[in-house]
Every structure is written in C-alpha cells, then in structure tokens.
Amino acid sequence: MEISRREIRRYLGYGGNEGDETVNALIEDCLKELTAAAFPKSISRVYPLQLLPEDVIDFTVFQTKSRNLSKNLKDCEQVILFAATLGAGVDVLLHKYTKLQMSKAVIMQAAAAAMIEEYCDEENRLLKQEHEAKGLYLRPRFSPGYGDFPLDCQRDITSVLETPKRVGIMLTDSLLMAPSKSVTAVMGVSGKPYRCEVKGCEVCAKTDCAYRRS
Ligand code: SF4
C-alpha cells in the first residue's frame, strides 16, 4: 500500500509543507510499525436503490433521509454498502504510544488515518474496475456523518454487512467503531458513464457536476 506522506503531514497540520527531518523520520517509523500491526479487511454488498420523495433513500435493507446523499446518488440504480478496517493490532499500537511517547502517538494517529483512507481507496478502485467491466460506474464513497447523512446509519450498515462476524468491526452504543481505524460507507452505482474520482468530489475537477457532494 502506497501511503501519501503529504496526506499524513496534512493531518498533522503541516498543510503543504515538507515537515522537518525529525517528523519525517518518525512518520517512516510509524508506517513501518503500522504495516506490521495492520490486518486490513473489507466487505461490500450491492443492493437495489430507490430515491423517494423528500430526500428519503431506500437502500432495500434500510431507509434514511439525506439531501446531500440523495443528490450524490441521483441516477443510480444500485448502491454498494461498504465497510473496512485496519484491525485491532493498530489500536494496540496506538494505545502503546499514548502511554509511552505522546509525540509519536500523534504521528501514529495521523499515519493510521492516512492508511485506512488509502486502503479504502484501493478496495474502491477494485470495485470500480469490476463494475466498469459491466458498464456500470461508481460514485465516490459517502460515509455516515458526512453532510446530513445520519451517523446512526453506521448501525444499519454494520448490521446488514454482519461486520462483527465477517471483518471484526463492532459498534458501541455511542456509535464509535472498534477497531477505531474503521470506515463504513455507501457508493452509488449508475449506468450513466460518470467517471468519479475514487478520492472523492473534493479532488475532482468536475466542479459543475450535478452529483457533486456538498
Ligand atoms: S464531482 Fe466528480 S467525483 Fe463527485 S460525483 Fe461528480 S464526477 Fe463524481
């Protein structure tokens, strides 16, 4: 997995700066340890999708209401429910450095956040290729909590995908995921040939796109 150092520095608040030697060396250290500790897993399933009046979205296996997501899913006939995690070993590592060396714990958090994003992007690229071979096009992933997509849809996604049993992702009563470096999301599937950026609308050049998530 090729994890962007620039993205890690951005999470650390460096913006586009190169960072100093000490920080860059710590980033490399953290990535080595994370690569050894991570056990990435993902799961996805496709369901028929219906967009109902007043921004109600019917995913077949549950319903929700979201204006932002309705816009993004316009012209989609199906939806992919998706979940991914780096596994419990990464939390052990994060916990260890929170006790031992706070400066490294902060960098480890940023590196792990970049790692789960990159892992999701890789898995989504594969789904995109599989679907494009069948003449279907994916919208970028959209996670509960993004815009007005209710955070509690995490409950529906983890339950429908049976994530505790299949990939080891659990959800607490307060909607925190364990392992902490886990993601749930949905992706629209459309027959209209719109080539979305896997990394999302934020980096996509089509600024006048009708499906752009806002
Ligand atoms: S803005 Fe780009 S990534 Fe977002 S929905 Fe439109 S084409 Fe897809």
Side-chain angles (χ1 to χ4, degrees):
M1 208 188 304
E2 191 45 49
I3 299 151
S4 159
R5 274 52 173 179
R6 176 180 281 267
E7 194 68 358
I8 299 173
R9 286 195 295 267
R10 198 175 63 77
Y11 287 139
L12 288 169
Y14 281 83
N17 297 344
E18 284 303 311
D20 60 42
E21 225 171 88
T22 318
V23 167
N24 288 333
L26 271 174
I27 289 176
E28 295 309 317
D29 256 18
C30 288
L31 284 174
K32 251 185 232 143
E33 289 186 54
L34 280 169
T35 305
F39 193 59
K41 281 187 189 171
S42 75
I43 182 166
S44 64
R45 286 187 190 148
V46 189
Y47 295 95
L49 170 77
Q50 250 193 304
L51 297 177
L52 303 173
E54 297 187 8
D55 300 325
V56 173
I57 306 167
D58 186 349
F59 293 113
T60 308
V61 276
F62 69 97
Q63 283 194 346
T64 191
K65 187 175 165 135
S66 161
R67 193 173 57 84
N68 300 137
L69 184 54
S70 289
K71 181 183 173 197
N72 181 249
L73 294 178
K74 194 169 165 276
D75 296 322
C76 291
E77 304 82 32
Q78 297 176 84
V79 66
I80 299 176
L81 304 189
F82 173 81
T85 183
L86 293 184
V90 167
D91 281 350
V92 172
L93 202 58
L94 290 169
H95 186 69
K96 177 177 139 187
Y97 283 106
T98 304
K99 299 258 171 227
L100 279 182
Q101 191 185 348
M102 204 51 208
S103 55
K104 191 162 173 181
V106 171
I107 294 177
M108 195 68 86
Q109 277 286 355
M115 189 181 232
I116 183 67
E117 280 304 305
E118 184 52 42
Y119 176 60
C120 290
D121 287 351
E122 276 187 9
E123 295 302 290
N124 294 173
R125 262 181 224 116
L126 294 176
L127 289 169
K128 194 170 145 87
Q129 280 165 15
E130 271 171 38
H131 281 79
E132 285 190 10
K134 295 185 267 181
L136 295 167
Y137 299 86
L138 299 197
R139 295 282 155 73
R141 62 178 182 275
F142 207 113
S143 288
Y146 195 101
D148 63 353
F149 183 19
L151 188 61
D152 63 11
C153 285
Q154 287 194 138
R155 257 191 241 294
D156 301 290
I157 299 175
T158 51
S159 150
V160 166
L161 294 178
E162 304 171 285
T163 61
K165 191 167 85 187
R166 303 209 175 262
V167 288
I169 303 174
M170 251 80 73
L171 203 60
T172 66
D173 290 344
S174 46
L175 298 174
L176 289 175
M177 282 190 280
S180 66
K181 293 296 174 248
S182 300
V183 163
T184 59
V186 303
M187 277 163 278
V189 182
S190 174
K192 288 205 175 176
Y194 241 76
R195 289 178 196 281
C196 290
E197 282 279 349
V198 167
K199 285 194 174 294
C201 302
E202 294 75 9
V203 299
C204 182
K206 294 174 197 145
T207 47
D208 60 347
C209 171
Y211 314 118
R212 193 172 183 91
R213 59 188 189 193
S214 45

